[in-house]
């Protein structure tokens, strides 16, 4: 039906073309990553596993409540601190158990977003597959261990709004050094030391 | 198209016919053949019940629901941030576009203005997501027809794009980057430059895909004139997206009912259409759409760099409640029209959220499209309908 398309072709031209591609590919460097030997370079925002900075956790349960599939388990008890001189007794929460079931987790990051005390972080680590699904339940010591692999967050795009952490810090400590994100027109290669 | 057919064996049906002489007179029973739910040529768990007369399909019925996860019901007990998690999973190849519909619907109900940078960044990411989706099908479709190489090329390009998406959102497939009022986080410094380099890289890589498969004579022979969808069938079944445009239905929400920043991209946005409506037209529609999307991505990057500094999201109240009412938000997803009908009674969860997914409507037309074709062509037709089973079964 489409006669105008049927330009007389040399028989086997398609085959020759295919072989030419094969030959060209033979000369090109492979793009395959040799995974177990060579680890992938993952960006800082990569959602691999959730790390818990136990010291920051007040067991407020916000993360467990907001989790869309309820895979965070928290147990805590109240402890009364003896009254310091001239003061009164203070109650404080002690975290007994904090566990994330990674076999249920959907890796959405809502728990990290809602945590008001910066106790949860993403780490790009991903090599924690298990033979038994029950071993994917990470208790708080294992979650604490992930903390050592948490990378610093990437610097924001210079045309974005100044993050609220920096504005609050500047309000108390004065202007930050250029490059730390507070200085808008300064170069970003400056000492972002702290 | 003419179908040549040869009867090479006589089945069990012949025994009952007694002394019938020619194969034509034999009263044979049609054979019922189940394709799927577990079958190498189907994507995921779509099941087709075919009635065959020899090699020819007499009737076909898509049986859906093997992967029904009750997304709509789950939406009703999730707040608007949690819905985003669920919504990006029904069509896992266009996660960003799925999230987008949800947040656009909620923003419309709230009457919320989204910062300009967020709008342009969303448009950019939506187009990159479209390229990722199309690359998947541009690779897997030739694979089903016996050409193995294109999928490696397609996945090479996908990998570059996924790295860009992962850097900005942290996810390779389920981005979870849209929030009501903007995006989750600011773009990382230098990301726009890397995104621009990747877009150029993918544009370069697309030449390879096009060269190896599009002009291939075997590929042409198997797809030309096979599975022709007419304009009437498209309109009757509510088929949308590249499949509809391959049959000459010139409808694209990005142009016809612009959302995000598409209204300002009119000079870059070219709606790709074909008139043939066969498998080859559908495939080449997809191929050309990639080029258009890459151009759109470049235009978005230009605008993002030219925009004055500003926020990328809005401060939200602790408890976000959509006001009482209802809204229907549809978007041009990579595979077709995706719509959310959101009914709110002023609570922090929707009262009802109906999901209109592209693939669900697109596969229904198989019932009309498959009969009359040979089983071997079914593979070609099925692959060219570009669906994701999660999007069918929701």
């Amino acid at each position: 039906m489409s006669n105008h398309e049927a330009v007389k072709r040399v028989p086997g031209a398609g085959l020759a073309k295919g072989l030419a591609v094969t030959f060209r590919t033979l000369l090109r460097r492979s793009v395959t990553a040799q995974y177990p030997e060579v680890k992938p370079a993952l960006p800082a925002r990569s959602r691999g596993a959730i790390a818990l900075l136990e010291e920051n956790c007040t067991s407020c349960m916000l993360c467990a409540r907001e989790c869309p599939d309820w895979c965070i388990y928290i147990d805590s008890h109240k402890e009364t601190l003896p009254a310091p001189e001239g003061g009164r007794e203070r109650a404080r929460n002690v975290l007994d158990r904090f566990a994330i079931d990674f076999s249920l987790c959907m890796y959405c990051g809502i728990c990290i977003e809602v945590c008001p005390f910066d106790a949860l972080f993403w780490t790009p680590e991903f090599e924690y597959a298990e033979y038994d699904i029950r071993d994917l339940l990470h208790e708080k010591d294992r979650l604490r261990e992930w903390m050592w692999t948490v990378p610093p967050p990437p610097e924001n795009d210079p045309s974005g709004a100044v993050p609220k952490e920096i504005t609050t810090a500047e309000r108390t400590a004065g202007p930050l050094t250029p490059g730390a994100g507070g200085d808008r027109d300064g170069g970003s290669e400056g000492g972002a030391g702290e | 198209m003419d179908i040549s057919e040869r009867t090479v064996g006589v089945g069990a049906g012949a025994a009952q016919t007694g002394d019938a002489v020619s194969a034509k007179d034999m009263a044979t029973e049609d054979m019922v053949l189940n394709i799927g739910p577990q079958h190498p040529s189907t994507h995921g768990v779509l099941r087709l019940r075919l009635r065959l007369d020899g090699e020819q399909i007499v009737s076909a019925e898509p049986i859906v629901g093997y992967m029904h996860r009750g997304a709509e019901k789950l939406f009703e007990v999730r707040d608007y941030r949690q819905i985003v998690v669920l919504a990006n999973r029904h069509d896992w190849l266009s996660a960003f576009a799925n999230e987008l519909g949800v947040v656009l619907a909620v923003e419309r109900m709230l009457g919320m203005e989204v910062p300009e940078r967020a709008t342009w960044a969303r448009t950019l990411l939506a187009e990159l997501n479209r390229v990722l989706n199309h690359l998947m099908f541009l690779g897997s479709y030739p694979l089903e027809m016996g050409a193995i190489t294109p999928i490696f090329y397609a996945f090479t390009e996908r990998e570059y794009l996924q790295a860009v998406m992962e850097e900005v959102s942290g996810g390779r497939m389920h981005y979870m980057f849209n929030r009501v009022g903007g995006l989750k986080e600011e773009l990382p410094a230098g990301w726009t430059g890397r995104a621009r380099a990747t877009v150029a890289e993918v544009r370069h890589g697309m030449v390879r895909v096009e060269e190896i498969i599009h002009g291939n004579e075997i590929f042409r022979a198997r797809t030309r004139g096979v599975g022709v969808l007419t304009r009437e069938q498209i309109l009757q079944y509510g088929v949308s997206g590249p499949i509809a445009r391959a049959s000459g239905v010139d409808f694209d929400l990005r142009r016809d009912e612009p959302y995000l920043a598409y209204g300002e991209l009119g000079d870059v946005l070219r709606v790709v259409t074909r008139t043939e409506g066969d498998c080859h037209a559908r495939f080449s529609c997809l191929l050309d759409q990639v080029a258009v999307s890459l151009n759109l991505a470049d235009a978005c990057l230009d605008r993002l760099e030219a925009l004055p500094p500003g926020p990328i999201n809005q401060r939200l109240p602790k408890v976000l409640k959509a006001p009482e009412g209802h809204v229907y938000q549809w978007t041009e997803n990579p595979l077709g029209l995706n719509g959310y009908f959101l009914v709110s009674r002023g609570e922090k969860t929707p009262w009802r959220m109906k999901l209109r997914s592209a693939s669900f409507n697109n596969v229904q037309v198989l019932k009309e499209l498959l009969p009359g074709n040979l089983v071997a062509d079914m593979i070609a037709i099925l692959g060219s309908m570009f669906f994701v089973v999660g999007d069918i079964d929701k």
Side-chain angles (χ1 to χ4, degrees), chain A residues 1-2 5 9-10 12-15 17 21 24-25 28 31 42-43 45-47 65-70 106-110 113-114 122 154-161 164 184, chain B residues 78-79 81-82 85-86 89 117 153 156 160 166-171 174-177 179 184-190 192 208 211-212 215 217 220 224-225 304 308-311 315:
Chain A
M1 52 187 201
S2 50
E5 281 282 343
R9 288 165 190 268
V10 189
L15 184 69
K17 203 169 164 188
V21 171
R24 271 208 305 277
T25 312
R28 206 179 288 128
V31 290
L42 294 172
R45 283 183 185 176
S46 212
R47 300 199 297 262
R65 275 212 310 261
E66 284 289 318
C67 177
D69 43 10
W70 306 298
M106 298 212 293
Y107 297 84
C108 64
I110 287 178
E113 218 177 313
V114 296
W122 276 120
E155 207 169 321
N156 280 352
D157 195 287
S159 57
K164 73 169 194 291
R184 310 302 301 285
Chain B
R78 298 286 188 281
D79 68 30
R81 179 164 47 189
Q82 294 171 335
V85 190
L86 284 172
R89 278 166 164 82
R117 289 190 73 233
Y153 287 172
T156 310
Y160 296 137
E166 187 178 14
E167 190 190 346
V168 71
S169 71
H174 300 301
Y175 309 112
M176 189 58 195
F177 201 50
R179 288 293 183 279
K184 180 184 170 231
E185 282 172 296
E186 182 54 57
L187 311 171
T192 43
R208 293 198 302 176
E211 192 173 67
I212 195 168
E217 50 206 295
R220 273 168 185 260
R224 285 247 150 158
L304 260 181
R315 282 288 172 79

Side-chain angles (χ1 to χ4, degrees), chain B residues 90-119:
Chain B
H90 66 258
D91 174 1
W92 47 79
L93 289 176
S94 21
F96 194 85
N98 296 340
E99 298 176 0
L100 203 56
V102 177
V103 294
L104 287 176
V106 181
E107 281 159 11
R108 255 177 68 189
M109 285 201 94
L110 289 164
M112 185 183 265
E113 278 285 320
V114 177
E116 215 186 348
R117 289 190 73 233
T119 307

Side-chain angles (χ1 to χ4, degrees), chain B residues 33-35 46-50 61-62 366 370 378 382:
Chain B
L33 179 67
N34 279 303
I35 304 286
L46 177 72
R47 178 175 162 208
L48 287 175
R49 190 161 57 200
L50 306 179
E61 189 191 354
L366 285 172
L370 286 177
M378 180 213 66
L382 205 57

Side-chain angles (χ1 to χ4, degrees), chain A residues 98-118:
Chain A
F98 192 106
I100 297 179
D101 193 343
F102 282 111
S103 63
L104 293 177
C105 179
M106 298 212 293
Y107 297 84
C108 64
I110 287 178
C111 51
I112 293 159
E113 218 177 313
V114 296
C115 181
F117 302 104
D118 286 344

Side-chain angles (χ1 to χ4, degrees), chain B residues 120-351:
Chain B
W120 283 94
R122 277 176 175 180
T123 318
L124 165 65
L125 292 167
E127 287 309 315
L128 292 180
N129 189 200
R130 192 181 307 274
V131 176
L132 272 169
N133 175 298
H134 287 3
L135 275 171
M136 181 75 204
F137 288 105
L138 290 174
S140 76
Y141 185 49
L143 184 70
E144 280 159 20
M145 318 272 283
I148 305 176
T149 314
I151 199 161
F152 295 115
Y153 287 172
F155 267 69
T156 310
E157 309 309 326
R158 262 177 72 85
E159 193 59 40
Y160 296 137
L161 279 171
Q162 277 182 327
V164 163
M165 295 301 269
E166 187 178 14
E167 190 190 346
V168 71
S169 71
R172 285 162 58 87
M173 285 186 86
H174 300 301
Y175 309 112
M176 189 58 195
F177 201 50
N178 276 299
R179 288 293 183 279
V180 176
L183 293 173
K184 180 184 170 231
E185 282 172 296
E186 182 54 57
L187 311 171
W191 180 80
T192 43
R194 285 187 285 279
R196 194 183 285 279
T198 307
V199 168
E201 176 110 42
V202 173
R203 188 177 285 130
H204 179 70
M206 285 313 293
V207 179
R208 293 198 302 176
V209 179
E210 188 163 359
E211 192 173 67
I212 195 168
I213 195 68
H214 204 231
N216 186 291
E217 50 206 295
I218 303 169
F219 184 74
R220 273 168 185 260
R222 287 208 60 184
T223 54
R224 285 247 150 158
V226 174
V228 179
L229 261 179
T230 62
R231 197 186 146 81
E232 286 65 44
Q233 283 170 329
I234 298 272
L235 298 178
Q236 277 166 5
Y237 280 83
V239 177
S240 55
I243 305 170
R245 288 192 285 272
S247 295
V249 179
D250 191 6
F251 180 65
D252 189 322
L253 279 182
R254 294 177 292 171
R255 181 200 57 200
D256 301 326
E257 206 182 299
Y259 55 102
L260 290 181
Y262 289 117
E264 293 175 54
L265 287 166
D267 46 336
V268 194
L269 176 64
R270 182 171 62 87
V271 178
V272 180
T273 51
R274 294 283 184 280
T275 47
E276 295 90 342
D278 56 2
C279 294
H280 193 268
R282 290 192 276 272
F283 184 81
S284 59
C285 241
L286 220 56
L287 200 60
D288 284 3
Q289 282 204 151
V290 170
V292 175
S293 287
L294 289 172
N295 291 344
L296 283 169
D298 263 344
C300 290
L301 280 164
D302 289 341
R303 266 308 275 273
L304 260 181
E305 278 165 10
L307 281 179
I312 204 151
N313 48 24
Q314 282 212 344
R315 282 288 172 79
L316 292 178
K318 268 248 158 55
V319 179
L320 184 71
K321 289 178 177 170
E324 212 173 311
H326 56 85
V327 75
Y328 181 66
Q329 175 68 44
W330 55 354
T331 52
E332 185 70 36
N333 264 31
L335 298 180
L337 298 179
N338 187 80
Y340 293 101
F341 182 62
L342 166 65
V343 183
S344 171
R345 296 209 168 160
E347 283 161 34
K348 62 177 192 175
T349 59
W351 183 74

Side-chain angles (χ1 to χ4, degrees), chain A:
Chain A
M1 52 187 201
S2 50
N3 271 332
H4 58 284
E5 281 282 343
V7 187
K8 277 276 163 258
R9 288 165 190 268
V10 189
L15 184 69
K17 203 169 164 188
L19 286 173
V21 171
T22 313
F23 187 70
R24 271 208 305 277
T25 312
L26 211 62
L27 301 175
R28 206 179 288 128
R29 266 190 96 79
S30 140
V31 290
T32 320
Q34 298 298 324
Y35 159 60
E37 288 82 30
V38 184
K39 304 279 178 206
L42 294 172
R45 283 183 185 176
S46 212
R47 300 199 297 262
I50 297 166
L52 167 73
L53 187 59
E54 204 188 316
E55 295 85 334
N56 279 0
C57 181
T58 62
S59 39
C60 68
M61 305 288 285
L62 267 179
C63 50
R65 275 212 310 261
E66 284 289 318
C67 177
D69 43 10
W70 306 298
C71 69
I72 303 179
Y73 309 104
I74 299 176
D75 284 336
S76 67
H77 67 270
K78 269 211 157 63
E79 209 174 65
T80 328
L81 293 177
E85 259 178 70
R88 53 185 177 82
E89 285 188 340
R90 272 162 206 276
R92 128 189 125 90
N93 286 326
V94 182
L95 189 65
D96 296 324
R97 181 183 185 221
F98 192 106
I100 297 179
D101 193 343
F102 282 111
S103 63
L104 293 177
C105 179
M106 298 212 293
Y107 297 84
C108 64
I110 287 178
C111 51
I112 293 159
E113 218 177 313
V114 296
C115 181
F117 302 104
D118 286 344
L120 291 170
F121 298 89
W122 276 120
T123 159
E125 293 295 311
F126 59 93
E127 293 168 311
Y128 52 92
E130 300 280 359
Y131 286 104
D132 189 334
I133 198 167
R134 286 167 292 186
D135 295 336
L136 280 172
L137 181 71
H138 289 200
E139 294 290 338
K140 71 176 177 190
D141 41 340
R142 197 152 172 216
L143 294 172
R144 181 66 182 82
E145 280 304 304
W146 288 126
M147 226 22 240
W148 305 109
T149 61
V150 174
E155 207 169 321
N156 280 352
D157 195 287
S159 57
V162 185
K164 73 169 194 291
E165 287 84 355
I166 290 182
T167 32
T168 10
E170 276 183 330
R171 208 178 299 136
T172 49
L176 299 174
T177 48
D183 195 2
R184 310 302 301 285
D185 38 322
S188 55
E189 67 272 28
E194 281 131 300

